[in-house]
Amino acid sequence: MKKWYYFTFLLLTAVSFAQEDAWVYFNNKPNAQYYLDNPLAMLSQRALDRRTNQNIAINIQDVPIHQSYVDQIEAIPAIEVKAKSKWMNAIHVRGSLEVINGLAEIEFVHHIEYANKSLNISGRNQASAQNNSSNSINKVLETQIDFAYGNSGNQAQMLNLHQLHQQNFTGSGKIIAVMDAGFPGVDTANPFQRLRDNNLILGGYNFVGQSSEFYTSNSHGTLVLSTMGGYVENQLIGTAPDAQYYLFITEDAASENPLEESYWVEAAEMADYLGADIINTSLGYFQYDNPNYNYTYANMDGATSFISRGTNIAFSKGMICVSSAGNSGSGPNPYVAVPADALHGFAVGAVKADETYATFSSIGPTFDQRIKPDVMAQGQGAVVSSVTGTIGVANGTSFSGPIMAGAIASFWQAIPWATNQQVLDFIRQSADRYANPTSQFGYGIPDFQTALNLAQLSVNDATLGRFLVYPNPVAENLKVSFPNHFDSATISIFNNLGQLVLAQNIQSGFDIDLESFSSGIYLYTIKSRDFVQTGKLIKK
């Protein structure tokens, strides 16, 4: 039996030590079965519909964190519970090292992970922190704003998005959750009037201030939202003017602390609960006020940081997480920050109006050599609205990201049958550097009309009872979607000499690993019962 007086002793002996931030992970969720049997007790109908549409099963991550565990930790003197996550089954705490270490003695605590990676025993985050500056690095201040008259047409036309808008695909029916530093003026400024009149702002929450007031704090989020939902004829038309929006304040513009990552995950869980389709994050983390909390390039592996792990889980729930790549491309740490490094995130870099590289845009690859950024959009001279409604321009991947997020909402409206993975596959395949990605551009600038054409061809294959083989060209994992009434098949792949190089039994959605294949042209044959389909496959 654990002794609570142990913590009283720790309080008396540890008051002189510095405060630490840490995540405390729990062993279980005692009431899980009730929620799994009653899913509407933990998720909205729209969230359940998203899972159903993409064949995603609910699981233990969806079950709320056990509140009694949180309450018991919160009752311990000298411990502050700052945030909690059901996905991670963890809470973010602040206190002295000794007091936090003592939490490991509690029977329902699984392990503790410190924001100061040198304090962790596991070794996964043992790399020493790098501090390139004694000053706080605040990403929301990395944008350069010069308010003047501008025309937003270029940032949509560059993506060939205007053709989708002309077909009335403007984001209607899609929900975008915006994670940012504040949204002052969105409730009053003219460029957001259309959103207000059509009840397209569904709500939000201020996680930093722990209040329902989200039309406040730093104006960065206002500028970000304007690139998606702003509407002023002949001046600013957002990339998803008819989408619906939730506005979440997760970034504290006055400081830099890993707690903001925990706020983000809380907000992502709320977005999931509310049924959001897309999350936009024009924020990134590499350095903190406390240099012991800094990340290194070695940490940019897509799964080390709390926020990147949250991004990966959000994707597993059927959402698309769009993240700005970062504005450090010309600095000492030029690589994408977290959560842009996430394994299943969609990182967006910045180009100028003429489609050339914006030198501030953070580059790839990630430490584990994955392509990042994924794609590019206009981020230098992007047209935005101020809190007063003045239309001007601003620089930063903070704007190329939401421009892309809005475009994705409009595109997804056009192909409502698609999974989040299929949506991203079509977008990557449409990009101008898809066959030859680079560290600056990733796969390049997408063409959304081309993406729509690719998607429609896929629908035709399904309608004709054919197997859908994608992406093609393929870099690593090939997917095969089955037509109706087929549940298994075999695929054979032959090189250009006619030699069999792979034969495999497959099921719908099964990933076929082609990473080790040499670049070139291959032929495939898929057989299921009496049906045979052949085709050409390009390996990048």
Side-chain angles (χ1 to χ4, degrees), residues 185-441:
V186 173
D187 55 339
T188 56
N190 181 59
F192 304 102
Q193 185 68 45
R194 190 167 179 274
L195 291 181
R196 299 193 299 269
D197 288 348
N198 292 295
N199 298 313
L200 297 178
I201 299 175
L202 302 180
Y205 189 74
N206 181 346
F207 286 88
V208 176
Q210 297 292 296
S211 77
S212 59
E213 177 50 60
F214 51 88
Y215 294 125
T216 185
S217 301
N218 190 280
S219 63
H220 187 262
T222 304
L223 277 63
V224 165
L225 178 63
S226 71
T227 66
M228 295 180 280
Y231 192 95
V232 180
E233 289 189 4
N234 301 315
Q235 295 185 62
L236 171 62
I237 305 295
T239 50
D242 291 318
Q244 297 171 299
Y245 296 91
Y246 283 104
L247 310 180
F248 297 121
I249 299 178
T250 64
E251 157 64 19
D252 184 352
S255 65
E256 287 289 73
N257 185 277
L259 178 58
E260 294 160 86
E261 295 188 45
S262 297
Y263 288 151
W264 187 97
V265 173
E266 279 193 313
E269 292 176 2
M270 183 177 287
D272 175 34
Y273 169 82
L274 293 167
D277 303 291
I278 298 164
I279 294 174
N280 181 78
T281 307
S282 291
L283 308 166
Y285 302 91
F286 218 121
Q287 293 181 304
Y288 288 112
D289 293 344
N290 182 343
N292 291 322
Y293 297 166
N294 288 356
Y295 290 111
T296 67
Y297 180 49
N299 300 137
M300 300 299 133
D301 61 2
T304 286
S305 73
F306 196 77
I307 192 171
S308 294
R309 281 180 276 153
T311 296
N312 296 333
I313 295 174
F315 181 83
S316 76
K317 306 304 179 186
M319 294 182 284
I320 291 175
C321 296
V322 180
S323 299
S324 297
N327 301 329
S328 60
S330 57
N333 285 322
Y335 299 105
V336 297
V338 303
D341 75 315
L343 294 171
H344 299 293
F346 200 63
V348 184
V351 295
K352 303 174 185 177
D354 61 2
E355 302 187 10
T356 59
Y357 172 69
T359 57
F360 57 77
S361 185
S362 295
I363 64 172
T366 57
F367 184 73
D368 56 328
Q369 299 302 298
R370 285 174 293 111
I371 298 297
K372 291 291 176 180
D374 290 276
V375 294
M376 308 291 277
Q378 186 170 344
Q380 185 161 328
V383 179
V384 299
S385 169
S386 74
V387 297
T388 61
T390 302
I391 305 300
V393 295
N395 299 333
T397 59
S398 286
F399 309 113
S400 58
I403 286 170
M404 184 62 61
I408 291 172
S410 295
F411 175 58
W412 209 349
Q413 178 197 352
I415 54 169
W417 49 266
T419 66
N420 57 352
Q421 183 64 63
Q422 288 174 320
V423 168
L424 297 183
D425 286 343
F426 292 133
I427 294 170
R428 289 191 185 99
Q429 288 179 65
S430 77
D432 60 2
R433 287 171 172 79
Y434 180 67
N436 297 288
T438 70
S439 61
Q440 290 183 334
F441 280 82

Side-chain angles (χ1 to χ4, degrees), residues 9-240:
F9 170 76
L10 285 177
L11 172 64
L12 296 174
T13 59
V15 291
S16 62
F17 291 87
Q19 299 284 288
E20 293 287 349
D21 280 66
W23 292 277
V24 178
Y25 293 81
F26 298 146
N27 281 318
N28 57 12
K29 295 179 177 179
N31 298 328
Q33 196 57 51
Y34 167 79
Y35 289 99
L36 294 172
D37 292 340
N38 299 276
L40 280 172
M42 61 182 178
L43 293 166
S44 68
Q45 186 61 56
R46 200 177 193 282
L48 294 172
D49 291 344
R50 174 173 11 87
R51 285 161 171 74
T52 299
N53 293 340
Q54 300 186 52
N55 197 28
I56 297 169
I58 60 174
N59 60 27
I60 193 70
Q61 291 173 336
D62 299 307
V63 173
I65 198 166
H66 191 51
Q67 188 59 42
S68 175
Y69 292 169
V70 180
D71 294 341
Q72 290 179 60
I73 300 290
E74 207 160 28
I76 298 169
I79 284 287
E80 289 184 271
V81 175
K82 308 297 290 187
K84 60 184 180 181
S85 167
K86 68 175 185 178
W87 287 348
M88 309 285 193
N89 199 20
I91 56 175
H92 186 123
V93 302
R94 185 171 293 165
S96 71
L97 178 62
E98 284 73 13
V99 174
I100 295 175
N101 276 338
L103 300 180
E105 298 297 314
I106 303 176
E107 59 190 357
F108 56 75
V109 171
H110 184 271
H111 71 282
I112 296 169
E113 178 185 342
Y114 284 93
N116 181 347
K117 300 161 194 64
S118 67
L119 299 176
N120 294 319
I121 299 173
S122 66
R124 184 180 67 176
N125 298 325
Q126 288 295 316
S128 61
Q130 297 174 346
N131 184 26
N132 296 313
S133 171
S134 59
N135 297 322
S136 164
I137 306 297
N138 198 307
K139 64 272 162 196
V140 300
L141 301 181
E142 289 177 354
T143 56
Q144 303 166 351
I145 304 169
D146 179 19
F147 285 114
Y149 178 81
N151 190 319
S152 64
N154 188 71
Q155 55 206 45
Q157 292 166 7
M158 178 187 297
L159 305 172
N160 220 0
L161 182 66
H162 62 293
Q163 293 197 23
L164 269 64
H165 285 180
Q166 290 167 7
Q167 299 168 64
N168 291 321
F169 299 127
T170 54
S172 180
K174 290 298 175 183
I175 297 177
I176 303 175
V178 187
M179 317 301 204
D180 222 285
F183 305 93
V186 173
D187 55 339
T188 56
N190 181 59
F192 304 102
Q193 185 68 45
R194 190 167 179 274
L195 291 181
R196 299 193 299 269
D197 288 348
N198 292 295
N199 298 313
L200 297 178
I201 299 175
L202 302 180
Y205 189 74
N206 181 346
F207 286 88
V208 176
Q210 297 292 296
S211 77
S212 59
E213 177 50 60
F214 51 88
Y215 294 125
T216 185
S217 301
N218 190 280
S219 63
H220 187 262
T222 304
L223 277 63
V224 165
L225 178 63
S226 71
T227 66
M228 295 180 280
Y231 192 95
V232 180
E233 289 189 4
N234 301 315
Q235 295 185 62
L236 171 62
I237 305 295
T239 50

